[in-house]
Amino acid sequence: MSDLQQDQTRGQRAKDILEDPLHKESIQTLKDAYSEAIFQTGPKDEQARTMIYLAYHTVCKFETHLRTIMETGILAAKQLEELRKNK
């Protein structure tokens, strides 16, 4: 399997994950929980706020990574299509 085909396959898998209702629910649940938790901290709970902030952004980075894989797969599919047309 070529690199483009692997990228296309990985992109489709990432898309399937991102569109899965359970995944969407899980990500949103985490984001909501962290958003709510940060407002439950006291004025002197700087360490707790930092940890919640980091957790929230880790979830966002995870989601962004999957989106990047998906977009790479879309580009790979277009490149493969162009290669097929030019044969």
Side-chain angles (χ1 to χ4, degrees), residues 41-49:
T41 61
K44 295 183 181 183
D45 286 339
E46 186 175 326
Q47 184 177 7
R49 280 192 302 280

Side-chain angles (χ1 to χ4, degrees), residues 10-38:
R10 285 171 42 91
Q12 184 58 51
R13 289 179 62 204
K15 181 180 182 210
D16 292 344
I17 292 167
L18 286 166
E19 292 178 351
D20 183 270
L22 184 58
H23 171 80
K24 286 181 177 182
E25 176 189 331
S26 298
I27 293 295
Q28 193 58 54
T29 298
L30 287 171
K31 286 180 175 181
D32 291 347
Y34 294 142
S35 294
E36 186 177 317
I38 206 160

Side-chain angles (χ1 to χ4, degrees), residues 68-84:
T68 300
I69 293 170
M70 180 184 72
E71 290 166 3
T72 299
I74 291 168
L75 292 174
K78 288 178 183 178
Q79 289 176 335
L80 285 168
E81 184 61 31
E82 284 298 316
L83 288 172
R84 286 184 197 109

